[in-house]
Amino acid sequence: MKKVNIGILVSGSGSNLQAIIDRIELGCLRAEIKVVISNNPDAYALERSRKHRIPATVIDHRAFCKREDFDRQMVNVLKSHDVELVVLAGFMRVLTPSFLRAFPMKVLNIHPALLPAFPGTHVQQKALEYGVKFAGCTVHFVDEGVDAGPIIIQAVVPVYDDDSADILSARILKEEHRIYPRAIELYAEGKLEVRGRKVMISGGAEGKLLPPLHNP
Ligand code: GRF
């Protein structure tokens, strides 16, 4: 089976990037990371890319007056590396419609909440303040809304009375590292079919990766 060429956009630590690299290096994920792009020159994700000899480049959004110009530059770099699938991994900018037109239904994101609850930022803190008993993470296709596209996989974690936002974030992040590479695998294996808002996964329950009950 042919490998899918991916481009990964990052802004920070890049632990999700690392989880994807690890799955590829284990031979479980038929994908090749053609390029990593960071809008933040200080992102640790750049260091991780270099360690694994993955081409990495900085496109600093602050150097552009218009979001469209910043996005066009990213599209040019992604296309020049033959990227088929764009993976947002802790990328803290909202993409313009023109970026999404260049990669229609070919952009994935991971969000640290059970969408459609808690889109946006600081969502673990918001979930705690709301008093939810369960939290989690969501991998979804990106559309023009914020954290709004069709959902591919979710994983659930319990919330405990004495959780801080940091403790809950760490519990969720562990699940992110499990489901994001899996969602990319499903894409690479051609097992995802988008029907309106629904993403059908061929392979039944295995494809959906039902989460085990989680220990803190
Ligand atoms: C993750 O929680 C991700 O869901 C959110 O930002 C965080 C980035 O983590 N969008 P990392 O950079 O992958 O470590």
Side-chain angles (χ1 to χ4, degrees):
M1 208 192 291
K2 180 185 163 293
K3 286 184 184 172
V4 60
N5 288 343
I6 62 179
I8 304 194
L9 308 191
V10 296
S11 299
S13 148
S15 68
N16 278 291
L17 165 68
Q18 188 69 55
I20 296 163
I21 293 172
D22 293 347
R23 288 300 285 178
I24 292 174
E25 291 187 352
L26 273 174
C28 303
L29 172 49
R30 294 199 55 79
E32 183 175 341
I33 304 173
K34 302 296 271 186
V35 66
V36 169
I37 301 176
S38 175
N39 66 306
N40 168 14
D42 300 321
Y44 183 62
L46 291 166
E47 191 56 38
R48 294 184 195 268
S49 312
R50 285 184 199 115
K51 276 190 193 149
H52 292 268
R53 299 175 192 284
I54 296 166
T57 184
V58 175
I59 303 178
D60 190 336
H61 62 281
R62 293 168 300 189
F64 298 83
C65 301
K66 290 199 216 142
R67 283 171 54 205
E68 282 74 15
D69 295 341
F70 168 60
D71 278 14
R72 189 171 313 117
Q73 181 62 25
M74 289 197 294
V75 168
N76 290 342
V77 171
L78 292 164
K79 295 280 184 194
S80 72
H81 285 84
D82 292 325
V83 166
E84 300 160 71
L85 178 71
V86 179
V87 173
L88 310 185
F91 182 65
M92 301 308 284
R93 311 293 303 169
V94 175
L95 297 171
T96 56
S98 60
F99 184 104
L100 296 173
R101 277 195 297 273
F103 292 97
M105 278 300 160
K106 288 179 176 7
V107 183
L108 305 186
N109 183 41
I110 187 144
H111 181 73
L114 292 173
L115 292 171
F118 307 113
T121 54
H122 307 296
V123 294
Q124 300 93 336
Q125 180 64 35
K126 286 176 189 162
L128 283 180
E129 284 167 8
Y130 198 91
V132 299
K133 302 296 186 194
F134 290 91
C137 48
T138 305
V139 180
H140 63 95
F141 283 103
V142 176
D143 65 10
E144 293 187 14
V146 174
D147 302 320
I151 291 170
I152 301 169
I153 309 184
Q154 295 183 300
V156 178
V157 302
V159 176
Y160 299 107
D161 290 346
D162 56 353
D163 276 347
S164 63
D166 283 349
I167 288 173
L168 178 59
S169 300
R171 194 178 300 130
I172 294 171
L173 196 59
K174 239 170 127 179
E175 291 300 306
E176 294 183 35
H177 298 161
R178 194 167 66 89
I179 68 170
Y180 211 3
R182 183 68 189 127
I184 300 166
E185 267 168 58
L186 292 169
Y187 183 96
E189 291 164 6
K191 289 187 175 166
L192 303 181
E193 189 198 331
V194 184
R195 289 192 208 151
R197 273 224 54 91
K198 288 193 185 170
V199 180
M200 314 307 287
I201 301 177
S202 44
E206 188 276 333
K208 285 193 181 128
L209 193 78
L210 297 174
L213 257 189
H214 199 278
N215 291 317

